Amino acid sequence: MEMVYHNEDREYGNIPDASVRHVESKICSDDDRKVAAAEPGIKRSRLAAVILGLLCVVQAAVIILLLSPFSERDEFKRTNFDVEASFKNLTEEREDLKRKLNISVSERDALKRTKLDVEAGFKTLTEEREDLKRKLNEVAQGGWEYFSGSFYYKSSVTKSWQESRDACLQKGADLVIITAKKNRIS
């Protein structure tokens, strides 16, 4: 077979040998020959389309297979990031609680010291009160009387003013002159 180009037809076609041409002309008409010549081109284009389609399917499968490990890796990265963020938050919360605990401990220690100081002060004041009561009883037994925050001694002995004053000074007191009957000690 030879390849021949006809100007008037402007198409390419295979021309069979002369011996084959005679037999073929008896079997096929010209229209049949055109369709028969076009069929191998159509078959090739169909074959090319099928191959391109299969290549697209293979390419899509390869992309999916290659991207899936990346998405899993990205998911692990996000999970790891979330875990690290939670860990950081918990660490900060723990440190904050430790600070509060230290403040609470120092406040508690301060309160203990204050309580101990108050208890010691209370004990001291109680002891002083008991001591003053004892002294008051001693003084009261010696003839002294307590009135409005002061002690008074009533003497049954009559003395001059100067002798009475000297007697008071010897006892660590001073002489009082009562001018009103309202303020009298009974």
Side-chain angles (χ1 to χ4, degrees), residues 101-125:
L101 180 63
N102 287 339
I103 289 171
S104 297
V105 168
S106 62
E107 287 175 350
R108 185 182 66 216
D109 291 344
L111 288 174
K112 281 183 181 178
R113 286 190 301 272
T114 303
K115 183 180 176 186
L116 291 174
D117 292 345
V118 167
E119 288 175 353
F122 181 74
K123 185 178 178 183
T124 303
L125 287 174

Side-chain angles (χ1 to χ4, degrees), residues 95-156:
E95 294 302 319
D96 187 41
L97 288 173
K98 279 184 178 180
R99 278 191 302 276
K100 287 180 181 177
L101 180 63
N102 287 339
I103 289 171
S104 297
V105 168
S106 62
E107 287 175 350
R108 185 182 66 216
D109 291 344
L111 288 174
K112 281 183 181 178
R113 286 190 301 272
T114 303
K115 183 180 176 186
L116 291 174
D117 292 345
V118 167
E119 288 175 353
F122 181 74
K123 185 178 178 183
T124 303
L125 287 174
T126 304
E127 289 171 356
E128 286 178 10
R129 185 188 71 194
E130 294 301 319
D131 189 41
L132 288 174
K133 280 183 178 180
R134 192 177 63 253
K135 287 181 181 179
L136 180 62
N137 285 337
E138 288 174 7
V139 169
Q141 288 176 358
W144 292 88
E145 292 183 30
Y146 180 75
F147 180 75
S148 295
S150 299
F151 286 96
Y152 297 92
Y153 182 76
K154 266 193 205 180
S155 175
S156 56

Side-chain angles (χ1 to χ4, degrees), residues 139-185:
V139 169
Q141 288 176 358
W144 292 88
E145 292 183 30
Y146 180 75
F147 180 75
S148 295
S150 299
F151 286 96
Y152 297 92
Y153 182 76
K154 266 193 205 180
S155 175
S156 56
V157 179
T158 306
K159 296 182 182 178
S160 69
W161 188 86
Q162 190 61 40
E163 290 173 345
S164 296
R165 185 155 194 235
D166 291 339
C168 286
L169 291 174
Q170 285 176 353
K171 293 180 181 183
D174 202 356
L175 184 61
V176 175
I177 300 172
I178 300 173
T179 57
K181 289 189 177 187
K182 268 194 224 176
N183 294 335
R184 250 178 27 145
I185 300 173

